[in-house]
Amino acid sequence: MLLSGPGRGVSAVDERLARLRADAGLGLQIGVLRTGGLALAVGGDRVARLLHRPWRLDPYPVYRDLRAAQIAPGGGPVRSRTGITAVATHASCAAVLRDRRFGVRLADGRRRMDEGGAGGAAAAVFEPVDLSLLTLDPPDHTRLRRLAQPAFSPHRLVEYRAVAEDVAARLLDEALARDRREGRFDLVRDLASPLPITVISALLAVPAVDRERFARWGRVLGSALDGVRSPAHARQLADSTADLRELFGGLLELRRREPGDDVVSALATAVDDGGATVDEVLALAQLLLVAGFETTTNLIGNAVRALLAEPGQWRALTGDPSLAAAAVEETLRFDPPVQLTARVAHEDTEVDGVPIRRDHGVLVLLGAAGRDPAAHRDPDRFDVRRARTSAHLAFSSGAHYCLGAPLARLEAEVALRLLAERAPRLRVAGRAVPRVATVLRGPLRFPVSAGA
Ligand code: HEM
């Protein structure tokens, strides 16, 4: 529309002006949130500290303080001057996640960002991309989750394991060749990042020619989980969403004409049967990419970091590579890739005796739950031989329990086992660069060497 006709120049100017106004508005919102939050953080507000440096680089001491405040006599969910209430013990995090009186939207079904006011503005910054299931309550959530479920059936997982083993072996061959040439390789760039993206491409049957762009959009959209950083970031997100929509739209059409045995074909059928709209299935496909990519990358990165930080732990794994699955569970408890999520009360209710009003948001600190001494003995110690390591909330709980959990576990287990078997002398070979984020946690770069 803007590309032809005499009005083109005017429209283009209008569009730029509109964009500048939108940028200024968004920039102001982000600025106010960040500056206001930082002032509170410096003033001692522990919830605000989770959003800011230096605290968010190592949130575990902040979690410990929040838990102490929560269990102190007369304590309970910690109220912050940011307007957010947070829960930090394992018991209260699990209780909120499993409680049907909490959902992810406002009680009347609107999204928080439609609410207006400060809460709505914050939600707009933190929910820049349609994350499908993650932002839906029943009955829409139940209906759409059912559509994605078959992609994670046990029979599918056997196929994904074969893909993961194949891809991981090839990636490690290349990484070890680089190590021989350069004296090190980057665990994230060379293994932890390409492994999940290749598996998800297989899951969504993305054609090989599109995979590189697919990976790039996945990286950009993954950053949406942590909120919008700037107007330029918002534009990047919008552009990647549009590109991905086009790719999935084409894929959906293709599968409509030539149905296969994959999840996109199932989604195309659902659209034809009236079980879902095109917008719904496009957002769902996008969620599978966003939710399954950087999360798994971080899991592998955090696992190897924790293992190498304690030589005895790495030795335990190389001595018995069948401990790889236990090492994955211990990482999920000790240093989970997704640190927090949020819920909204759908009626006036209470948590640990503290009233929570209808439509009030609660931050559920999954990373804090894993370090709760009431749930885990000696919680700050990483120990691959720990009993009952799977009693963590890293994949959430209740209605939104991670659909991809078996896949994430499988990929990380394959990666750790292979590293233990083929690079038993693995060591840190440089400074890891952490991701500066609140929701996602893991290294962006992690130089290691197989030390051969
Ligand atoms: C280590 C890797 C992963 C972690 C730590 C993780 C974590 C989570 C968490 C915490 C949630 C729920 C958030 C909430 O309760 O609000 C979630 C939901 C979800 N995850 Fe994962 N995830 C991982 C990998 C994956 C993979 C590999 C996939 C798929 C390819 C995936 C797909 C999903 C989907 C579709 C949901 C939404 C479920 C719903 O809302 O009903 N995840 N994940």
Side-chain angles (χ1 to χ4, degrees):
M1 180 179 62
L2 293 174
L3 297 176
S4 62
R8 183 185 167 202
V10 175
S11 300
V13 170
D14 283 351
E15 195 199 357
R16 278 194 57 191
L17 279 175
R19 185 176 259 196
L20 282 174
R21 271 197 294 272
D23 278 3
L26 183 62
L28 194 66
Q29 263 173 29
I30 295 169
V32 168
L33 284 171
R34 298 249 185 271
T35 320
L38 183 60
L40 291 175
V42 171
D45 188 299
R46 295 190 182 97
V47 174
R49 286 186 169 178
L50 294 175
L51 305 174
H52 294 279
R53 280 180 200 243
W55 301 280
R56 70 177 180 180
L57 285 173
D58 179 12
Y60 296 107
V62 183
Y63 295 154
R64 189 184 52 224
D65 292 349
L66 283 167
R67 261 194 325 268
Q70 195 184 337
I71 56 184
V78 179
R79 300 216 192 267
S80 150
R81 290 180 56 209
T82 53
I84 304 170
T85 298
V87 285
T89 67
H90 178 96
S92 42
C93 288
V96 170
L97 293 171
R98 289 170 195 158
D99 189 335
R100 300 239 159 199
R101 291 170 300 179
F102 284 91
V104 292
R105 293 190 160 219
L106 296 169
D108 65 6
R110 279 179 309 145
R111 291 178 65 173
R112 296 211 65 192
M113 58 201 286
D114 303 327
E115 184 188 21
V125 170
F126 282 99
E127 293 173 17
V129 170
D130 182 350
L131 289 176
S132 178
L133 297 179
L134 286 175
T135 58
L136 291 172
D137 286 322
D140 290 337
H141 175 263
T142 324
R143 174 174 55 85
L144 288 176
R145 190 171 159 114
R146 247 180 235 140
L147 289 183
Q149 199 94 52
F152 302 97
S153 69
H155 132 85
R156 281 272 177 240
L157 285 163
V158 173
E159 288 172 21
Y160 303 146
R161 179 175 284 277
V163 175
E165 283 175 347
D166 205 50
V167 173
R170 188 173 44 73
L171 290 169
L172 197 58
D173 280 345
E174 287 164 19
L176 294 179
R178 182 190 287 268
D179 190 29
R180 283 190 293 277
R181 278 195 317 273
E182 298 173 15
R184 59 187 191 170
F185 66 96
D186 184 340
L187 181 89
V188 178
R189 181 198 57 205
D190 298 333
L191 179 66
S193 176
L195 176 61
I197 196 69
T198 316
V199 175
I200 298 166
S201 302
L203 185 153
L204 290 166
V206 173
V209 287
D210 291 322
R211 289 197 181 164
E212 207 169 298
R213 286 181 305 152
F214 187 62
R216 201 169 55 244
W217 299 329
R219 254 189 299 277
V220 173
L221 290 177
S223 67
L225 292 176
D226 238 274
V228 184
R229 288 190 302 271
S230 63
H233 184 212
R235 274 202 301 277
Q236 227 187 0
L237 291 171
D239 290 348
S240 293
T241 308
D243 291 342
L244 202 60
R245 233 185 117 83
E246 209 176 302
L247 176 112
F248 282 136
L251 214 55
L252 212 58
E253 269 312 305
L254 183 73
R255 295 290 167 237
R256 232 183 201 151
R257 290 195 307 272
E258 301 166 20
D261 185 23
D262 57 273
V263 67
V264 179
S265 298
L267 297 181
T269 310
V271 172
D272 289 344
D273 295 351
T277 65
V278 170
D279 278 348
E280 283 175 334
V281 301
L282 289 178
L284 184 54
Q286 176 174 286
L287 171 67
L288 290 175
L289 167 65
V290 173
F293 178 13
E294 301 251 304
T295 49
T296 313
T297 302
N298 289 343
L299 176 57
I300 297 169
N302 291 353
V304 176
R305 278 196 83 184
L307 284 160
L308 294 185
E310 290 281 342
Q313 296 295 317
W314 179 248
R315 269 200 306 277
L317 180 65
T318 53
D320 179 4
S322 74
L323 281 174
V328 170
E329 292 311 313
E330 178 64 341
T331 308
L332 287 162
R333 176 196 73 77
F334 179 79
D335 200 14
V338 177
Q339 290 279 314
L340 57 90
T341 184
R343 292 293 183 266
V344 181
H346 279 182
E347 54 187 80
D348 289 344
T349 177
E350 53 83 27
V351 175
D352 297 344
V354 171
I356 307 280
R357 278 192 341 273
R358 176 184 148 111
D359 284 342
H360 191 79
V362 176
L363 214 56
V364 182
L365 300 173
L366 308 173
R371 299 288 189 106
D372 183 352
H376 309 280
R377 186 133 57 95
D378 198 4
D380 293 326
R381 187 158 173 269
F382 179 82
D383 181 4
V384 296
R385 296 187 191 278
R386 181 182 290 274
R388 285 187 70 245
T389 44
S390 59
H392 56 69
L393 297 173
F395 290 125
S396 189
S397 188
H400 292 272
Y401 181 80
C402 175
L403 255 181
L407 180 59
R409 285 182 159 126
L410 177 163
E411 290 177 46
E413 187 212 324
V414 165
L416 291 190
R417 185 191 280 260
L418 208 65
L419 278 169
E421 286 170 352
R422 296 195 44 205
R425 291 164 63 193
L426 194 74
R427 58 178 172 78
V428 177
R431 209 171 61 80
V433 178
R435 178 188 305 277
V436 183
T438 297
V439 178
L440 290 183
R441 180 170 168 79
L444 275 180
R445 282 195 288 280
F446 185 18
V448 290
S449 171

